[in-house]
Amino acid sequence: MPVMDSAPMLRALLRASHQATFEQLPRLLTLHADRAGLNNARLFVTDLQEEVLREVTGVGQDAGSGGSELPIDSTLAGRVFRTAQVLSTNTAGTVDHWLPVLNGTERLGVLRLTPAMPVHTVEQEAMNDLATLLGLILVTKRPTSDSYARLTRTRRMAVSAEMQWTLMPARTFVNDRVTIAAQMEPAYETAGDAYDYALAGDTVHMAVFDAMGHDMAAGLTATLALAVCRNLRRQGADFAEMCDAVEALLLDQFHHDRYVTGILAALDLTTGSLRWVSCGHPPPLLIRANRRVLHPDHPAHHPLGTDLGLPLVVARTQLQPGDRVLFYTDGITEPRDAEGREFGVDRFTDFIIRHQSAGLPVPETLRRLVHAVLDHHQGTLDDDATVLLCEWHGNTDRTDELADAPVPDIYPS
């Protein structure tokens, strides 16, 4: 039996992708996959709220005209997306293989292939390599494609949300020492919430902001706070300098009429030392060995833009490998059900612990958390709800082995 040689397919697709548009990707995929015996290639991408998978056909204003739409919570393709595991179906002797399409660990969609020959290890690796290459190609096309933006939206987006999503980093990042995942709702009308994270050497910087109000000005306030902190952080500024700069800018622009609460944090990936400052914001939650660890209260700095003159106190804690830290806005904990009961901190942390104990991937846990918060409040929210989870894996000290070492498996079987 002949053995598949995937190298020509991958090489040809990679070279063709340099000058291809997002709309041309389905045709290129079909052409080069067919030549390798991987027939009926179909690519699906997730919508912004991760509720459906939409097929990329390359036709129409959204490059999805005539394509299928598959619910994430009730289809096999959706299960592939939720777990990032390869699954297969056999219909009348035709075997279809469904593969996750990822950008690193960010879930982008799924790929369906029908191999012309029985799949063995070499063929499976070829399909995996094709899905990996597609993920890389997709993220290079995404920033300049309005078709991609249209296809991944299920309804009209407010201008404030347009600003926020453009500024914020990917919702998932993983390396050998840390996992970071974030989720934000409402995805299409969000105004005053924002999150940020970035790595610099052995430090990961994180931030969550919650601006006063639910209008365009709230979006501008959060955007300014995020941009100022990011700008100064990249110049080596400390917490105090960043907070002072945000306060000064907000006072200059809004004259005490607008403010933002926020939390800024820095995690040393070598030692596990976590530092943070809270500016009128809920403190982070620490989960260790599936239990919430309580810390002494640290005095919070005033919300930025209020100029109340409260001292800025840097809080510190020592993480252990496997510890998870949750940064969030009150839109996660304050929604009430029909009987007036808040979702609450206890329900929030119990939800994370329960789903993580069940082996659910971190991004999928947060996706379900936001859905649970929405369900608790009858399907709508009165405030933006944002959560950012950081898990420290410990200092693996494997710098020289990274070329061959896998990242932690956030999508367990």
Side-chain angles (χ1 to χ4, degrees), residues 318-354:
Q318 179 60 48
L319 299 188
Q320 297 177 11
D323 280 356
R324 285 161 281 168
V325 184
L326 296 164
F327 305 93
Y328 63 99
T329 63
D330 54 19
I332 289 286
T333 55
E334 292 185 357
R336 297 178 181 272
D337 62 15
E339 298 180 9
R341 295 170 298 191
E342 285 191 347
F343 193 79
V345 171
D346 289 340
R347 193 192 308 261
F348 171 33
T349 52
D350 288 346
F351 187 98
I352 298 293
I353 291 170
R354 185 171 68 255

Side-chain angles (χ1 to χ4, degrees), residues 192-349:
D193 278 13
Y195 69 85
D196 193 22
Y197 68 84
L199 277 75
D202 291 324
T203 301
V204 58
H205 301 274
M206 296 165 284
V208 169
F209 298 101
D210 184 359
M212 163 198 163
H214 310 291
D215 53 10
M216 177 65 69
L220 289 171
T221 304
T223 298
L224 285 172
L226 187 152
V228 170
C229 286
R230 186 180 285 175
N231 177 261
L232 288 180
R233 185 186 73 219
R234 290 169 176 172
Q235 299 178 48
D238 59 21
F239 290 144
E241 292 171 311
M242 287 187 279
C243 291
D244 288 346
V246 171
E247 176 124 84
L249 184 60
L250 294 186
L251 289 172
D252 178 66
Q253 294 294 316
F254 299 111
H255 312 290
H256 290 89
D257 292 331
R258 290 284 170 173
Y259 63 83
V260 61
T261 71
I263 190 162
L264 308 179
L267 172 62
D268 188 316
L269 296 176
T270 301
T271 66
S273 175
L274 176 69
R275 300 178 296 114
W276 75 89
V277 294
S278 173
C279 302
H281 200 84
L285 300 174
L286 173 59
I287 297 175
R288 173 174 296 157
N290 288 332
R291 292 186 178 182
R292 180 155 61 101
V293 177
L294 299 178
H295 288 292
D297 290 335
H298 295 89
H301 191 52
H302 57 262
L304 302 176
T306 60
D307 195 25
L308 297 179
L310 297 179
L312 185 72
V313 178
V314 179
R316 292 176 172 83
T317 193
Q318 179 60 48
L319 299 188
Q320 297 177 11
D323 280 356
R324 285 161 281 168
V325 184
L326 296 164
F327 305 93
Y328 63 99
T329 63
D330 54 19
I332 289 286
T333 55
E334 292 185 357
R336 297 178 181 272
D337 62 15
E339 298 180 9
R341 295 170 298 191
E342 285 191 347
F343 193 79
V345 171
D346 289 340
R347 193 192 308 261
F348 171 33
T349 52

